[in-house]
Amino acid sequence: MNSGIVIIPTYNEIENIESIIRAVFSLEKSFHILIVDDNSPDKTSEKVRELQAEFSDQLFLEVRTKKAGLGTAYVHGFKWALQHHYDYIYEMDADFSHNPTDLSRLHDATEQGASISIGSRYVTGVNVVNWPLSRVLLSYFASVYVRLITGMKIMDTTAGFVCYQRQVLEAINLDQIKFVGYAFQIEMKYRAWAKGFSIVEVPVIFTDRTKGQSKMSGSIIKEAVFGVLALRLKKLLNRL
């Protein structure tokens, strides 16, 4: 059993899926991949099944019945990874906004003692490529807002490029995770931080997708803004 698995949620990622899978499997360090697909109309899952013939012992697929949000896809993947006894569980996007070569750097950070390592866009300035200024400002000041409300010292609180040691996911009640968009990323970090797990930020360069469509929406932003307040209130009431 490989000790590390990369969870990649997908919805209509047919333009990226084969390339991202091959990129991860071409790395010097060995990783397994779990694709959690929300029944993509563009047949993303069918392409994954084709690739499973080539990577039968490394590539795994879970297909859900409908599009149900990033957070629930990751929770599904986390539970699968824990059931299959992986020690290191990674979050990564399918669209190459996260550079697969940085997976090893996240792994090294956890090997050196961190419970969670985050591929951080903001720990050494602003390392974002191909985003309009409005999007950069929204993302950057979202993390400022989260730090102000929660007290966490994490510079990139909405980052979706993360490595968890399995004991972190075992300690968090995954059935209590509420949020599905970017607030999910904040919630996972906050719950882990509240339990005293060590979190390290690894500087990475984030490059916006060149193929496929962004999943960002107004409802996702609203969830993040009000979700942070709800999390902080639960913490104050000892209900987190």
Side-chain angles (χ1 to χ4, degrees):
M1 171 62 71
N2 188 299
S3 65
I5 190 160
V6 181
I7 301 173
I8 303 178
T10 56
Y11 185 77
N12 286 348
E13 291 290 355
I14 193 65
E15 295 176 281
N16 295 302
I17 195 62
E18 180 172 3
S19 297
I20 195 71
I21 287 170
R22 292 191 181 279
V24 172
F25 288 151
S26 70
L27 297 173
E28 181 177 348
K29 179 172 176 54
S30 176
F31 296 93
H32 288 181
I33 297 175
L34 171 64
I35 303 296
V36 181
D37 185 67
D38 278 359
N39 201 21
S40 298
D42 70 355
K43 301 182 179 180
T44 298
S45 61
E46 292 187 18
K47 173 54 70 174
V48 176
R49 288 191 183 97
E50 291 177 17
L51 292 167
Q52 282 183 302
E54 182 177 350
F55 304 107
S56 59
D57 59 346
Q58 298 172 271
L59 177 60
F60 306 96
L61 172 66
E62 291 282 290
V63 180
R64 306 197 299 168
T65 58
K66 62 181 181 180
K67 187 177 181 181
L70 180 74
T72 61
Y74 271 126
V75 168
H76 185 104
F78 291 159
K79 291 179 177 180
W80 190 97
L82 292 175
Q83 290 169 0
H84 289 80
H85 311 295
Y86 287 92
D87 295 323
Y88 300 93
I89 297 99
Y90 301 79
E91 296 182 6
M92 192 174 77
D93 290 347
D95 60 7
F96 284 94
S97 55
H98 306 139
N99 189 334
T101 61
D102 288 326
L103 285 167
S104 296
R105 298 175 61 227
L106 296 185
H107 176 79
D108 290 346
T110 51
E111 280 277 274
Q112 292 166 11
S115 300
I116 303 169
S117 57
I118 299 170
S120 177
R121 298 164 290 188
Y122 305 128
V123 72
T124 57
V126 178
N127 295 315
V128 177
V129 177
N130 291 341
W131 263 6
L133 180 60
S134 59
R135 183 82 181 269
V136 174
L137 292 174
L138 174 64
S139 175
Y140 181 83
F141 284 105
S143 283
V144 173
Y145 167 75
V146 172
R147 290 197 300 275
L148 178 65
I149 298 297
T150 65
M152 289 193 295
K153 304 303 181 184
I154 301 169
M155 293 299 294
D156 194 351
T157 56
T158 62
F161 195 21
V162 185
C163 174
Y164 293 96
Q165 292 211 40
R166 68 172 290 118
Q167 60 263 34
V168 177
L169 300 182
E170 289 173 332
I172 294 173
N173 186 338
L174 295 174
D175 291 327
Q176 290 184 350
I177 299 297
K178 177 180 179 182
F179 301 115
V180 299
Y182 285 94
F184 162 79
Q185 301 292 3
I186 299 166
E187 182 176 8
M188 286 295 299
K189 295 176 183 68
Y190 189 54
R191 287 181 180 274
W193 175 80
K195 290 182 178 294
F197 287 106
S198 60
I199 302 173
V200 169
E201 292 185 83
V202 176
V204 299
I205 296 175
F206 178 96
T207 303
D208 195 21
R209 66 164 63 235
T210 58
K211 297 179 180 179
Q213 294 184 341
S214 171
K215 310 302 191 296
M216 176 65 78
S217 69
S219 62
I220 288 174
I221 296 170
K222 181 179 178 181
E223 179 193 58
V225 170
F226 292 103
V228 172
L229 292 172
L231 287 172
R232 181 59 177 160
L233 181 59
K234 285 183 180 180
K235 179 70 165 55
L236 291 173
L237 297 175
N238 292 317
R239 295 179 181 175
L240 191 64

